[in-house]
Amino acid sequence: MNSALQKFTTPVGTALDRFIATKQSEFPFATGELSQLLRDIVLASKILNREINRAGLVGIETSMDQENVQGEHQQMLDVVADIRFTRALTRGQQTCCILSEENDLIVETGNRNAKYVVTLDPLDGSSNINVNVSIGTIFSIYRRKTEIGTPPTEEDVLQKGRDQVAAGYILYGSSTMLVYTTGYGVNGFTYEPSLGEYFLSHPNMKIPATGQIYSVNEGSYEDFSPGIQQYIQYCKKERYAARYIGSLVADFHRNLLKGGIYLYPSTQQYPSGKLRLLYECNALSFIVEQAGGLGSSGEGNILDIIPQDKHQRVPLIIGSKQMVKQVLEFLK
Ligand code: AHM
Ligand code: MG
């Protein structure tokens, strides 16, 4: 292992809190604000993990009988997750505003002296809650554009993915995991509930350059463009495994570990794809790129898209680099 890489390697089993502190100490000018922000997210994730685990018992796995700003059915846990993250980020004082899937407008935290902005999907795949399938949280962290001390504006959240300071996801699955990057590789931590702490379990994660798994909602096949259809036919011909949980974080995480590709192309119902640029696609594209993979809209790298709208959707083709490039060939 070369010495530059060694610098960023920490032993398996290291507690997340210590890991964050060690990383901070490697940057002489770090102020500790980003570390605190990460801790805020970690805290919210632990609280939410507890809520998710007992959701069935206390009856919050149910639906809200209302829709969010996207016109999608809200689950009670969607709302609980949003509250948990907003509260932790507000109290932690490092975030000036939040863009969440659950709110039309940006949420000002009142921390006008904070220099960071967070975009997040507090609970992704929430239609899977009441059937006990894995769900996730996705987050991106940006430096604010407006001056510190002033009220944050939309300009602060409409930033391209390339400008992310950090991004990550939490997967509430057979075990709960946090995977994140600050632009120096990707590390995964597994939650040990009896200790209430995450421990480094997947250091310096790399996605295989290619794989044999394709993940797409094939029920929409007739809506897909000829290029996507041909790629799916190719996957079948090659006897690739079709794996689609319908929970983006879980599908992405499996493909990150095993090698594979996830696609959510445009459909009749979602002409620009279903997934949101600012709090789903950008974070995962940053992570996958740090792990050696690629995230594309079919027209270009996701991370280079200049957002026009807070809740903008974009087609997503993401995963092992060679597989994504192959799809792009089919699309030509
Ligand atoms: P959500 O943010 O409303 O939960 O929607 C996003 C989810 C992803 O987790 C998942 O990959 C996708 O929607 C599944 O969509 P579909 O049911 O159309 O295949
Ligand atoms: Mg989502």
Tab-separated table of all heavy atoms in Angstrom, residues 218-263:
chain	number	residue	atom	x	y	z
A	218	GLU	N	-38.161	-3.469	-13.960
A	218	GLU	CA	-38.429	-3.928	-15.323
A	218	GLU	C	-39.902	-3.866	-15.681
A	218	GLU	O	-40.263	-4.012	-16.851
A	218	GLU	CB	-37.903	-5.357	-15.502
A	218	GLU	CG	-36.680	-5.375	-16.381
A	218	GLU	CD	-36.165	-6.781	-16.652
A	218	GLU	OE1	-35.524	-7.325	-15.752
A	218	GLU	OE2	-36.395	-7.302	-17.747
A	219	GLY	N	-40.740	-3.645	-14.667
A	219	GLY	CA	-42.169	-3.474	-14.941
A	219	GLY	C	-42.424	-2.292	-15.871
A	219	GLY	O	-43.454	-2.217	-16.543
A	220	SER	N	-41.464	-1.369	-15.907
A	220	SER	CA	-41.621	-0.182	-16.767
A	220	SER	C	-40.895	-0.349	-18.108
A	220	SER	O	-40.695	0.631	-18.836
A	220	SER	CB	-41.069	1.054	-16.050
A	220	SER	OG	-41.740	1.240	-14.818
A	221	TYR	N	-40.500	-1.580	-18.416
A	221	TYR	CA	-39.689	-1.857	-19.615
A	221	TYR	C	-40.241	-1.175	-20.863
A	221	TYR	O	-39.499	-0.592	-21.650
A	221	TYR	CB	-39.610	-3.368	-19.824
A	221	TYR	CG	-38.768	-3.794	-20.996
A	221	TYR	CD1	-37.395	-3.992	-20.851
A	221	TYR	CD2	-39.338	-4.001	-22.255
A	221	TYR	CE1	-36.615	-4.385	-21.934
A	221	TYR	CE2	-38.560	-4.391	-23.338
A	221	TYR	CZ	-37.208	-4.587	-23.162
A	221	TYR	OH	-36.437	-4.967	-24.236
A	222	GLU	N	-41.567	-1.265	-21.052
A	222	GLU	CA	-42.163	-0.723	-22.289
A	222	GLU	C	-41.968	0.788	-22.406
A	222	GLU	O	-42.033	1.346	-23.492
A	222	GLU	CB	-43.659	-1.066	-22.361
A	222	GLU	CG	-43.949	-2.565	-22.511
A	222	GLU	CD	-43.321	-3.172	-23.779
A	222	GLU	OE1	-43.222	-2.450	-24.795
A	222	GLU	OE2	-42.916	-4.349	-23.740
A	223	ASP	N	-41.725	1.448	-21.263
A	223	ASP	CA	-41.513	2.913	-21.282
A	223	ASP	C	-40.075	3.290	-21.604
A	223	ASP	O	-39.789	4.445	-21.914
A	223	ASP	CB	-41.812	3.523	-19.896
A	223	ASP	CG	-43.284	3.484	-19.552
A	223	ASP	OD1	-44.093	3.222	-20.459
A	223	ASP	OD2	-43.617	3.726	-18.377
A	224	PHE	N	-39.157	2.351	-21.452
A	224	PHE	CA	-37.737	2.711	-21.567
A	224	PHE	C	-37.347	3.006	-23.014
A	224	PHE	O	-37.957	2.496	-23.959
A	224	PHE	CB	-36.839	1.572	-21.033
A	224	PHE	CG	-37.019	1.287	-19.558
A	224	PHE	CD1	-36.667	0.050	-19.032
A	224	PHE	CD2	-37.527	2.245	-18.695
A	224	PHE	CE1	-36.818	-0.232	-17.676
A	224	PHE	CE2	-37.677	1.980	-17.337
A	224	PHE	CZ	-37.329	0.739	-16.832
A	225	SER	N	-36.289	3.785	-23.169
A	225	SER	CA	-35.792	4.117	-24.509
A	225	SER	C	-35.207	2.847	-25.137
A	225	SER	O	-34.830	1.909	-24.416
A	225	SER	CB	-34.703	5.184	-24.409
A	225	SER	OG	-33.575	4.641	-23.773
A	226	PRO	N	-35.101	2.810	-26.480
A	226	PRO	CA	-34.557	1.606	-27.131
A	226	PRO	C	-33.177	1.227	-26.580
A	226	PRO	O	-32.880	0.048	-26.407
A	226	PRO	CB	-34.473	2.009	-28.609
A	226	PRO	CG	-35.486	3.099	-28.765
A	226	PRO	CD	-35.564	3.809	-27.444
A	227	GLY	N	-32.339	2.207	-26.283
A	227	GLY	CA	-30.990	1.923	-25.766
A	227	GLY	C	-31.042	1.180	-24.440
A	227	GLY	O	-30.318	0.190	-24.237
A	228	ILE	N	-31.904	1.626	-23.542
A	228	ILE	CA	-32.029	0.967	-22.229
A	228	ILE	C	-32.611	-0.433	-22.425
A	228	ILE	O	-32.159	-1.405	-21.822
A	228	ILE	CB	-32.918	1.802	-21.269
A	228	ILE	CG1	-32.300	3.180	-20.984
A	228	ILE	CG2	-33.195	1.033	-19.970
A	228	ILE	CD1	-31.109	3.182	-20.067
A	229	GLN	N	-33.604	-0.533	-23.299
A	229	GLN	CA	-34.208	-1.855	-23.556
A	229	GLN	C	-33.154	-2.830	-24.086
A	229	GLN	O	-33.089	-3.986	-23.653
A	229	GLN	CB	-35.351	-1.721	-24.565
A	229	GLN	CG	-36.577	-1.024	-23.983
A	229	GLN	CD	-37.720	-0.938	-24.993
A	229	GLN	OE1	-37.514	-1.066	-26.194
A	229	GLN	NE2	-38.922	-0.702	-24.492
A	230	GLN	N	-32.325	-2.321	-25.001
A	230	GLN	CA	-31.294	-3.206	-25.571
A	230	GLN	C	-30.298	-3.627	-24.491
A	230	GLN	O	-29.831	-4.768	-24.462
A	230	GLN	CB	-30.561	-2.507	-26.723
A	230	GLN	CG	-31.352	-2.517	-28.012
A	230	GLN	CD	-30.925	-1.395	-28.958
A	230	GLN	OE1	-29.816	-0.862	-28.844
A	230	GLN	NE2	-31.804	-1.032	-29.868
A	231	TYR	N	-29.974	-2.704	-23.605
A	231	TYR	CA	-29.035	-3.060	-22.531
A	231	TYR	C	-29.634	-4.156	-21.639
A	231	TYR	O	-28.940	-5.106	-21.255
A	231	TYR	CB	-28.642	-1.838	-21.695
A	231	TYR	CG	-27.672	-2.225	-20.591
A	231	TYR	CD1	-26.358	-2.596	-20.887
A	231	TYR	CD2	-28.093	-2.294	-19.260
A	231	TYR	CE1	-25.476	-3.007	-19.895
A	231	TYR	CE2	-27.215	-2.704	-18.257
A	231	TYR	CZ	-25.909	-3.056	-18.585
A	231	TYR	OH	-25.053	-3.475	-17.598
A	232	ILE	N	-30.909	-4.031	-21.336
A	232	ILE	CA	-31.557	-5.042	-20.490
A	232	ILE	C	-31.566	-6.400	-21.198
A	232	ILE	O	-31.297	-7.443	-20.591
A	232	ILE	CB	-32.981	-4.585	-20.092
A	232	ILE	CG1	-32.868	-3.386	-19.139
A	232	ILE	CG2	-33.772	-5.713	-19.426
A	232	ILE	CD1	-34.177	-2.732	-18.784
A	233	GLN	N	-31.822	-6.380	-22.494
A	233	GLN	CA	-31.754	-7.632	-23.262
A	233	GLN	C	-30.349	-8.228	-23.195
A	233	GLN	O	-30.176	-9.447	-23.055
A	233	GLN	CB	-32.148	-7.388	-24.731
A	233	GLN	CG	-33.620	-7.058	-24.938
A	233	GLN	CD	-34.545	-8.084	-24.286
A	233	GLN	OE1	-34.239	-9.279	-24.232
A	233	GLN	NE2	-35.664	-7.620	-23.744
A	234	TYR	N	-29.365	-7.346	-23.277
A	234	TYR	CA	-27.964	-7.785	-23.195
A	234	TYR	C	-27.698	-8.457	-21.832
A	234	TYR	O	-27.074	-9.528	-21.771
A	234	TYR	CB	-27.048	-6.571	-23.399
A	234	TYR	CG	-25.609	-6.833	-23.054
A	234	TYR	CD1	-24.749	-7.452	-23.965
A	234	TYR	CD2	-25.103	-6.467	-21.802
A	234	TYR	CE1	-23.426	-7.708	-23.631
A	234	TYR	CE2	-23.787	-6.721	-21.464
A	234	TYR	CZ	-22.958	-7.345	-22.381
A	234	TYR	OH	-21.655	-7.600	-22.036
A	235	CYS	N	-28.205	-7.850	-20.752
A	235	CYS	CA	-28.004	-8.404	-19.398
A	235	CYS	C	-28.594	-9.811	-19.312
A	235	CYS	O	-28.016	-10.711	-18.715
A	235	CYS	CB	-28.664	-7.520	-18.336
A	235	CYS	SG	-27.882	-5.921	-18.144
A	236	LYS	N	-29.756	-9.983	-19.937
A	236	LYS	CA	-30.410	-11.300	-19.902
A	236	LYS	C	-29.600	-12.319	-20.693
A	236	LYS	O	-29.435	-13.461	-20.263
A	236	LYS	CB	-31.823	-11.206	-20.487
A	236	LYS	CG	-32.812	-10.417	-19.628
A	236	LYS	CD	-34.124	-10.356	-20.396
A	236	LYS	CE	-35.075	-9.345	-19.847
A	236	LYS	NZ	-35.725	-9.749	-18.614
A	237	LYS	N	-29.136	-11.853	-21.865
A	237	LYS	CA	-28.350	-12.748	-22.720
A	237	LYS	C	-27.088	-13.228	-21.986
A	237	LYS	O	-26.682	-14.383	-22.100
A	237	LYS	CB	-27.981	-12.007	-24.014
A	237	LYS	CG	-27.719	-12.931	-25.182
A	237	LYS	CD	-27.705	-12.177	-26.493
A	237	LYS	CE	-26.357	-11.821	-26.957
A	237	LYS	NZ	-25.421	-10.978	-26.763
A	238	GLU	N	-26.516	-12.297	-21.209
A	238	GLU	CA	-25.296	-12.630	-20.461
A	238	GLU	C	-25.600	-13.397	-19.179
A	238	GLU	O	-24.701	-13.702	-18.396
A	238	GLU	CB	-24.541	-11.335	-20.104
A	238	GLU	CG	-23.977	-10.587	-21.295
A	238	GLU	CD	-22.863	-11.356	-21.989
A	238	GLU	OE1	-21.965	-11.857	-21.301
A	238	GLU	OE2	-22.917	-11.471	-23.239
A	239	ARG	N	-26.899	-13.621	-18.906
A	239	ARG	CA	-27.343	-14.332	-17.689
A	239	ARG	C	-26.957	-13.587	-16.413
A	239	ARG	O	-26.615	-14.199	-15.407
A	239	ARG	CB	-26.779	-15.773	-17.632
A	239	ARG	CG	-27.136	-16.634	-18.835
A	239	ARG	CD	-28.643	-16.937	-18.877
A	239	ARG	NE	-28.979	-17.946	-19.873
A	239	ARG	CZ	-29.300	-17.686	-21.148
A	239	ARG	NH1	-29.337	-16.448	-21.587
A	239	ARG	NH2	-29.612	-18.676	-21.970
A	240	TYR	N	-27.001	-12.260	-16.480
A	240	TYR	CA	-26.774	-11.477	-15.263
A	240	TYR	C	-27.922	-11.734	-14.289
A	240	TYR	O	-29.035	-12.088	-14.707
A	240	TYR	CB	-26.745	-9.973	-15.568
A	240	TYR	CG	-25.496	-9.476	-16.255
A	240	TYR	CD1	-25.384	-8.137	-16.614
A	240	TYR	CD2	-24.437	-10.328	-16.548
A	240	TYR	CE1	-24.247	-7.650	-17.242
A	240	TYR	CE2	-23.292	-9.854	-17.185
A	240	TYR	CZ	-23.217	-8.519	-17.531
A	240	TYR	OH	-22.102	-8.037	-18.146
A	241	ALA	N	-27.663	-11.507	-13.019
A	241	ALA	CA	-28.727	-11.651	-12.017
A	241	ALA	C	-29.519	-10.354	-11.934
A	241	ALA	O	-28.930	-9.269	-11.865
A	241	ALA	CB	-28.110	-11.977	-10.664
A	242	ALA	N	-30.856	-10.466	-11.966
A	242	ALA	CA	-31.717	-9.295	-11.765
A	242	ALA	C	-31.997	-9.185	-10.268
A	242	ALA	O	-32.469	-10.147	-9.665
A	242	ALA	CB	-33.016	-9.481	-12.528
A	243	ARG	N	-31.660	-8.036	-9.679
A	243	ARG	CA	-31.890	-7.826	-8.247
A	243	ARG	C	-32.469	-6.432	-8.056
A	243	ARG	O	-31.793	-5.450	-8.322
A	243	ARG	CB	-30.570	-7.936	-7.471
A	243	ARG	CG	-29.943	-9.315	-7.472
A	243	ARG	CD	-30.670	-10.251	-6.518
A	243	ARG	NE	-30.062	-11.571	-6.476
A	243	ARG	CZ	-30.374	-12.569	-7.310
A	243	ARG	NH1	-31.283	-12.390	-8.247
A	243	ARG	NH2	-29.775	-13.743	-7.206
A	244	TYR	N	-33.712	-6.359	-7.618
A	244	TYR	CA	-34.327	-5.039	-7.426
A	244	TYR	C	-35.164	-5.051	-6.163
A	244	TYR	O	-36.230	-5.663	-6.126
A	244	TYR	CB	-35.177	-4.670	-8.650
A	244	TYR	CG	-35.638	-3.241	-8.647
A	244	TYR	CD1	-34.730	-2.196	-8.860
A	244	TYR	CD2	-36.974	-2.906	-8.427
A	244	TYR	CE1	-35.140	-0.869	-8.850
A	244	TYR	CE2	-37.396	-1.590	-8.431
A	244	TYR	CZ	-36.474	-0.573	-8.642
A	244	TYR	OH	-36.883	0.736	-8.641
A	245	ILE	N	-34.646	-4.380	-5.146
A	245	ILE	CA	-35.359	-4.306	-3.876
A	245	ILE	C	-36.426	-3.203	-3.941
A	245	ILE	O	-37.478	-3.300	-3.324
A	245	ILE	CB	-34.359	-4.033	-2.725
A	245	ILE	CG1	-33.346	-5.186	-2.633
A	245	ILE	CG2	-35.076	-3.850	-1.389
A	245	ILE	CD1	-32.160	-4.915	-1.733
A	246	GLY	N	-36.118	-2.161	-4.716
A	246	GLY	CA	-37.034	-1.018	-4.784
A	246	GLY	C	-36.764	-0.060	-3.640
A	246	GLY	O	-37.606	0.746	-3.268
A	247	SER	N	-35.568	-0.182	-3.086
A	247	SER	CA	-35.122	0.702	-2.014
A	247	SER	C	-33.720	1.120	-2.449
A	247	SER	O	-32.786	0.307	-2.413
A	247	SER	CB	-35.081	-0.111	-0.715
A	247	SER	OG	-35.264	0.690	0.391
A	248	LEU	N	-33.604	2.342	-2.921
A	248	LEU	CA	-32.383	2.753	-3.617
A	248	LEU	C	-31.120	2.478	-2.810
A	248	LEU	O	-30.140	1.958	-3.346
A	248	LEU	CB	-32.499	4.251	-3.964
A	248	LEU	CG	-31.275	4.914	-4.586
A	248	LEU	CD1	-30.899	4.269	-5.907
A	248	LEU	CD2	-31.532	6.409	-4.783
A	249	VAL	N	-31.138	2.833	-1.533
A	249	VAL	CA	-29.925	2.673	-0.717
A	249	VAL	C	-29.524	1.197	-0.663
A	249	VAL	O	-28.347	0.854	-0.792
A	249	VAL	CB	-30.134	3.245	0.703
A	249	VAL	CG1	-28.932	2.957	1.577
A	249	VAL	CG2	-30.390	4.737	0.643
A	250	ALA	N	-30.508	0.340	-0.494
A	250	ALA	CA	-30.209	-1.094	-0.379
A	250	ALA	C	-29.706	-1.646	-1.711
A	250	ALA	O	-28.724	-2.405	-1.752
A	250	ALA	CB	-31.460	-1.842	0.075
A	251	ASP	N	-30.344	-1.259	-2.810
A	251	ASP	CA	-29.886	-1.730	-4.126
A	251	ASP	C	-28.482	-1.201	-4.422
A	251	ASP	O	-27.620	-1.922	-4.923
A	251	ASP	CB	-30.864	-1.272	-5.220
A	251	ASP	CG	-32.100	-2.171	-5.300
A	251	ASP	OD1	-31.939	-3.400	-5.351
A	251	ASP	OD2	-33.232	-1.637	-5.300
A	252	PHE	N	-28.269	0.073	-4.089
A	252	PHE	CA	-26.960	0.689	-4.345
A	252	PHE	C	-25.877	0.013	-3.508
A	252	PHE	O	-24.790	-0.298	-3.999
A	252	PHE	CB	-27.036	2.185	-4.012
A	252	PHE	CG	-25.718	2.899	-4.154
A	252	PHE	CD1	-25.312	3.407	-5.382
A	252	PHE	CD2	-24.870	3.057	-3.066
A	252	PHE	CE1	-24.088	4.058	-5.516
A	252	PHE	CE2	-23.648	3.698	-3.193
A	252	PHE	CZ	-23.262	4.201	-4.423
A	253	HIS	N	-26.185	-0.214	-2.240
A	253	HIS	CA	-25.197	-0.774	-1.315
A	253	HIS	C	-24.765	-2.177	-1.759
A	253	HIS	O	-23.576	-2.499	-1.772
A	253	HIS	CB	-25.801	-0.819	0.092
A	253	HIS	CG	-24.853	-1.321	1.126
A	253	HIS	ND1	-23.775	-0.585	1.564
A	253	HIS	CD2	-24.802	-2.487	1.812
A	253	HIS	CE1	-23.111	-1.280	2.477
A	253	HIS	NE2	-23.715	-2.432	2.641
A	254	ARG	N	-25.744	-2.991	-2.139
A	254	ARG	CA	-25.403	-4.343	-2.613
A	254	ARG	C	-24.493	-4.269	-3.837
A	254	ARG	O	-23.475	-4.957	-3.917
A	254	ARG	CB	-26.686	-5.124	-2.948
A	254	ARG	CG	-26.399	-6.557	-3.418
A	254	ARG	CD	-27.552	-7.106	-4.235
A	254	ARG	NE	-27.915	-6.182	-5.291
A	254	ARG	CZ	-29.093	-5.568	-5.391
A	254	ARG	NH1	-30.062	-5.823	-4.546
A	254	ARG	NH2	-29.316	-4.691	-6.372
A	255	ASN	N	-24.847	-3.387	-4.774
A	255	ASN	CA	-24.043	-3.290	-5.997
A	255	ASN	C	-22.652	-2.732	-5.714
A	255	ASN	O	-21.682	-3.110	-6.370
A	255	ASN	CB	-24.765	-2.437	-7.044
A	255	ASN	CG	-26.037	-3.119	-7.546
A	255	ASN	OD1	-26.309	-4.260	-7.195
A	255	ASN	ND2	-26.803	-2.411	-8.349
A	256	LEU	N	-22.566	-1.836	-4.724
A	256	LEU	CA	-21.259	-1.284	-4.338
A	256	LEU	C	-20.352	-2.415	-3.832
A	256	LEU	O	-19.171	-2.479	-4.168
A	256	LEU	CB	-21.465	-0.233	-3.237
A	256	LEU	CG	-20.233	0.449	-2.639
A	256	LEU	CD1	-19.482	1.256	-3.685
A	256	LEU	CD2	-20.632	1.372	-1.480
A	257	LEU	N	-20.908	-3.312	-3.068
A	257	LEU	CA	-20.099	-4.393	-2.502
A	257	LEU	C	-19.806	-5.484	-3.535
A	257	LEU	O	-18.695	-6.008	-3.591
A	257	LEU	CB	-20.819	-5.036	-1.310
A	257	LEU	CG	-21.001	-4.149	-0.076
A	257	LEU	CD1	-21.730	-4.905	1.020
A	257	LEU	CD2	-19.672	-3.631	0.452
A	258	LYS	N	-20.809	-5.800	-4.359
A	258	LYS	CA	-20.656	-6.972	-5.237
A	258	LYS	C	-20.303	-6.635	-6.678
A	258	LYS	O	-19.899	-7.508	-7.433
A	258	LYS	CB	-21.963	-7.779	-5.248
A	258	LYS	CG	-22.302	-8.375	-3.885
A	258	LYS	CD	-23.455	-9.350	-4.012
A	258	LYS	CE	-23.593	-10.194	-2.763
A	258	LYS	NZ	-24.632	-11.205	-2.903
A	259	GLY	N	-20.509	-5.383	-7.065
A	259	GLY	CA	-20.354	-5.004	-8.465
A	259	GLY	C	-21.682	-5.156	-9.162
A	259	GLY	O	-22.334	-6.213	-9.045
A	260	GLY	N	-22.113	-4.125	-9.861
A	260	GLY	CA	-23.405	-4.186	-10.532
A	260	GLY	C	-23.830	-2.799	-10.967
A	260	GLY	O	-23.085	-1.828	-10.833
A	261	ILE	N	-25.039	-2.743	-11.493
A	261	ILE	CA	-25.537	-1.465	-12.006
A	261	ILE	C	-26.983	-1.265	-11.580
A	261	ILE	O	-27.769	-2.213	-11.528
A	261	ILE	CB	-25.380	-1.405	-13.549
A	261	ILE	CG1	-25.690	-0.005	-14.054
A	261	ILE	CG2	-26.236	-2.459	-14.249
A	261	ILE	CD1	-25.196	0.240	-15.460
A	262	TYR	N	-27.309	-0.018	-11.247
A	262	TYR	CA	-28.677	0.365	-10.903
A	262	TYR	C	-29.138	1.373	-11.943
A	262	TYR	O	-28.407	2.321	-12.270
A	262	TYR	CB	-28.698	1.000	-9.500
A	262	TYR	CG	-30.068	1.545	-9.116
A	262	TYR	CD1	-30.937	0.799	-8.324
A	262	TYR	CD2	-30.491	2.794	-9.566
A	262	TYR	CE1	-32.201	1.286	-7.998
A	262	TYR	CE2	-31.754	3.283	-9.246
A	262	TYR	CZ	-32.600	2.530	-8.464
A	262	TYR	OH	-33.842	3.003	-8.146
A	263	LEU	N	-30.354	1.190	-12.442
A	263	LEU	CA	-30.873	2.153	-13.426
A	263	LEU	C	-32.268	2.618	-13.029
A	263	LEU	O	-33.123	1.794	-12.680
A	263	LEU	CB	-30.992	1.513	-14.813
A	263	LEU	CG	-29.764	0.833	-15.408
A	263	LEU	CD1	-29.853	-0.671	-15.263
A	263	LEU	CD2	-29.624	1.184	-16.873
